[in-house]
Every structure is written in C-alpha cells, then in structure tokens.
C-alpha cells in the first residue's frame, strides 16, 4: 500500500478529519491533504507524530512505499551536499576578492593560472551540484545566471577582455 493511502486509511479508521489531524500536528489542512495525495511528504518530526497519532510503527509507514523512502534519501543526500556547496561558494567569493586585490595592488601577484584553474573547476563543480539538486527536486530556485541573463553577457565580455 502506498504511503498516502495508508495515512488516509489510518485517519479514517480513527474517524478524524484532515483539519483535526492538522491541528494536532500543527500544520495546515492542505499539508495533510498533500501528504495523503503524495504531492509532498512529511519531515521526520511529522512522521514521528503521525506514527504516534495513528498508532502505526514507522516501519509500517515507510517500508512498503518506495516514494517515501526515495524522498527521505534525497533529503539526506541534500543535507550531505550542503557543506560542499557552501565551500564552493566561499571559494568563488574568495576568488573575486583576490581578483579585486590583484587589480588594486598588482605587485602582490595574487593571481596566477593555478588559482584561476582551481576557481574554474570549483565553479564547474558548483554548477554541477546545483543541476544535480534541481534534477532530483532538491533545489527549486533557478541558477543565478538563468534568472539574470545579463550575467552571461558580462561573463563572456570579461573572459574576452582578460
């Protein structure tokens, strides 16, 4: 049996409305409906509260439905990738700072081909991670360059100039 069907049957067996369950779990009625139709899935805290409310074990709720387990696995992967994305973003900002410092004080010679190569590899990796997250539905925001088309033009002009 699918996760949403199991939630709905457990709720109906206890003669509860979606609104009553929502009030007990401190979520909206639409959230309960979304869980029952499998448009979204609850987080782990809500799963524990659902388990207690309906008197169902987590094993019963999760084991037989691959959609729910896939969702939880994706969230786990997303959590593990966050530090990597943060590190790559910090690296990109550090590169920009180095570039500005190098323009203001060229005698320091902070920029060299190795630093630039590391930066380009980092940008490529960051782009790949964001696309990976979007593919698996973990990241819903569009890329900065997709939101702001001028950025691609500016980047192209910058590469041509330097």
């Amino acid at each position: 049996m699918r996760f949403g069907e199991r939630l709905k049957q457990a709720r109906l067996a206890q003669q509860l409305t979606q609104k009553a369950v929502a009030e007990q779990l401190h979520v909206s009625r639409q959230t309960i409906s979304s869980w029952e139709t499998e448009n979204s899935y609850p987080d782990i805290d809500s799963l524990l509260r659902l388990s207690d409310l309906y008197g169902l074990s987590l094993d019963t709720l999760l084991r037989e439905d691959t959609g729910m387990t896939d969702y939880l696995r994706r969230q786990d992967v997303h959590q593990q990738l966050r530090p990597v994305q943060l590190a790559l973003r910090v690296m990109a900002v550090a590169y920009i700072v180095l570039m500005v410092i190098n323009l203001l004080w060229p005698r320091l010679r902070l920029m060299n081909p190795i630093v630039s190569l590391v930066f380009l590899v980092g940008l490529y990796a960051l782009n790949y991670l964001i696309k990976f997250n979007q593919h698996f539905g973990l990241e819903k925001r569009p890329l900065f360059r997709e939101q702001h088309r001028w950025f691609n033009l500016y980047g192209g002009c910058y590469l041509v100039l330097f």
Side-chain angles (χ1 to χ4, degrees):
M1 180 184 303
R2 307 261 323 154
F3 176 77
E5 294 170 19
R6 184 170 285 114
L7 285 181
K8 186 173 184 176
Q9 283 185 354
R11 177 178 58 79
L12 294 175
Q14 294 193 5
Q15 299 176 347
L16 294 169
T17 63
Q18 287 181 345
K19 185 176 180 179
V21 172
E23 287 172 358
Q24 290 186 22
L25 297 179
H26 307 291
V27 296
S28 69
R29 187 208 56 79
Q30 290 83 1
T31 300
I32 301 299
S33 174
S34 182
W35 293 345
E36 290 182 359
T37 58
E38 297 180 20
N39 290 331
S40 68
Y41 292 100
D43 60 7
I44 193 68
D45 292 331
S46 298
L47 270 175
L48 291 171
R49 288 185 279 158
L50 282 168
S51 173
D52 292 340
L53 178 65
Y54 294 148
L56 297 172
S57 70
L58 286 175
D59 191 50
T60 303
L61 279 174
L62 301 176
R63 175 96 36 197
E64 296 175 18
D65 184 31
T66 57
M68 180 63 179
T69 53
D70 287 347
Y71 170 79
L72 291 173
R73 284 186 185 123
R74 280 184 281 170
Q75 293 302 319
D76 188 42
V77 167
H78 184 60
Q79 288 294 89
Q80 292 174 359
L81 288 178
R82 273 192 178 156
V84 175
Q85 280 184 302
L86 179 63
L88 290 171
R89 287 180 175 149
V90 167
M91 188 177 78
V93 169
Y95 180 80
I96 291 169
V97 168
L98 281 175
M99 205 163 60
V100 168
I101 290 172
N102 196 53
L103 286 174
L104 295 175
W105 297 285
R107 283 186 283 160
L108 294 177
R109 295 184 185 169
L110 297 175
M111 300 306 292
N112 62 45
I114 304 271
V115 172
S116 296
L117 180 65
V118 168
F119 168 71
L120 290 174
V121 168
L123 275 184
Y124 179 76
L126 181 60
N127 187 50
Y128 179 77
L129 279 175
I130 291 171
K131 284 184 179 182
F132 175 83
N133 284 341
Q134 286 176 336
H135 176 74
F136 286 104
L138 302 173
E139 183 76 50
K140 302 212 180 346
R141 294 176 297 172
L143 294 172
F144 183 81
R145 71 169 193 263
E146 291 171 352
Q147 272 183 320
H148 307 286
R149 296 290 178 195
W150 59 265
F151 186 73
N152 289 333
L153 180 63
Y154 175 76
C157 290
Y158 179 78
L159 287 174
V160 168
L161 291 174
F162 289 99

